[in-house]
Amino acid sequence: MIVIDHVSSESSEPLHSKGRWCTGGSWFRRSRWCWDMGWVQRSGWVALLCLLVLIYGSHAPLIALTQLDGRVPFSPSSCVVLIELVKLLVSMATLLVTEGVSPPPLLQGGARVRWVLVLPYALPALLYALNNNLVVLMQAHMDPSTFQLLSNLKIASTAALYSSCLGKRLRRSQWLALGLLTLAGGAHSYSSLAREPWAGQEDHRGPRLHVTALGLLLLLVYCTASGLAAVVTERALKSQRLPLSLQNIFLYGWGVAINVTSHVGGVGEGRGFLEGFSVLVWLIVIGQAAAGLMMSVVMKHGSGITRLFVISTAMLVNSAISWALLGLQLTPLFLLPTGLVAIAAYLYYR
């Protein structure tokens, strides 16, 4: 991550395509060196994405393993605060190691300049906090099955905002790919609901869906906020020529402040801050913190669309891990979202 941190945010092209490693020596030696360095960079990027998919895919199964009598024994808000705090501390340590004690040139112009750089990160932090609270609020206006199924619409909302707000023109094949990705999420959710009806359902012939008009409105806000948070984060990360570790300090500093305020305000459900924490819970905290830091690399040097493919692939890994650890029964319908994600990735990145 420290090496990638120094890549310029002006372009996501491999460094060797700009001639940085392709000057001097014979043509054969330059070509071989460029190919070698490009292979190393591509391999590192693939390894980063695979690790992200694994962490995101294992999140829900790990939470399920911590449950006692069907409930988590710890405060979810405490967990979120600790995740944000770990990301903030790691970012500060990374900045100290890579940049030393001297501030970057853009930060040497006084407090006004510093606040101009810091303020853009408050909006995504607020949007992420809004979504965390909306998830709880929406449960009163729709059943969990409906939320799980319709929340996949945030893929479409993120793609639309990515194109309109960031000015990224997508080809028809790429729009088709994102549509297939949304369908893959819906198909995966439906296959999960079909084999595990939600509590309170009277018959097991299939999942029962219910949502109120207010629930649909809240879902629209949820999907819009999710996509807007991703777009605003990417815009802030790419528009500033600052070290990624410093930008992470800005982002996670706001995250810690907002989530601590939310926890103190009563979201902790009366539990002690570290009550119910076990080795497995700490593993979740460390894993999610690492995933957040790696995702910031993706957002700065890749795109929010890559994030969507990571999350969609992670849901398939989630089912595979649940099958291996929790005895989840996979049905032939599981092959449908798997195929849709593969086709979508081919269409988008070809």
Side-chain angles (χ1 to χ4, degrees), residues 180-198:
L180 292 177
L181 203 63
T182 304
L183 289 178
H188 178 267
S189 298
Y190 187 84
S191 66
S192 300
L193 300 175
R195 58 179 179 259
E196 288 189 12
W198 65 285

Side-chain angles (χ1 to χ4, degrees), residues 190 193-195 197 201-208:
Y190 187 84
L193 300 175
R195 58 179 179 259
Q201 186 173 318
E202 296 179 357
D203 60 73
H204 288 195
R205 291 175 296 179
R208 185 181 68 184

Side-chain angles (χ1 to χ4, degrees), residues 87 113 119 124 137 142 281 291:
K87 290 189 289 187
V113 176
L119 284 176
L137 182 60
M142 65 183 72
V281 178

Side-chain angles (χ1 to χ4, degrees), residues 123-132 134 150-166 218-236 299 303-305 307-308 311:
L123 180 57
L126 285 170
L127 289 171
Y128 287 129
L130 172 64
N131 266 15
N132 290 336
L134 280 176
L150 296 181
S151 62
N152 293 288
L153 293 175
K154 64 184 179 182
I155 297 176
S157 65
T158 300
L161 289 169
Y162 177 84
S163 177
S164 59
C165 297
L166 296 182
L218 292 175
L219 182 74
L220 178 62
V221 175
Y222 170 81
C223 292
T224 303
S226 177
L228 188 59
V231 168
V232 171
T233 301
E234 181 175 346
R235 189 180 190 89
M299 298 293 284
S303 72
I305 302 299
R307 172 180 172 270
L308 294 180
I311 294 174

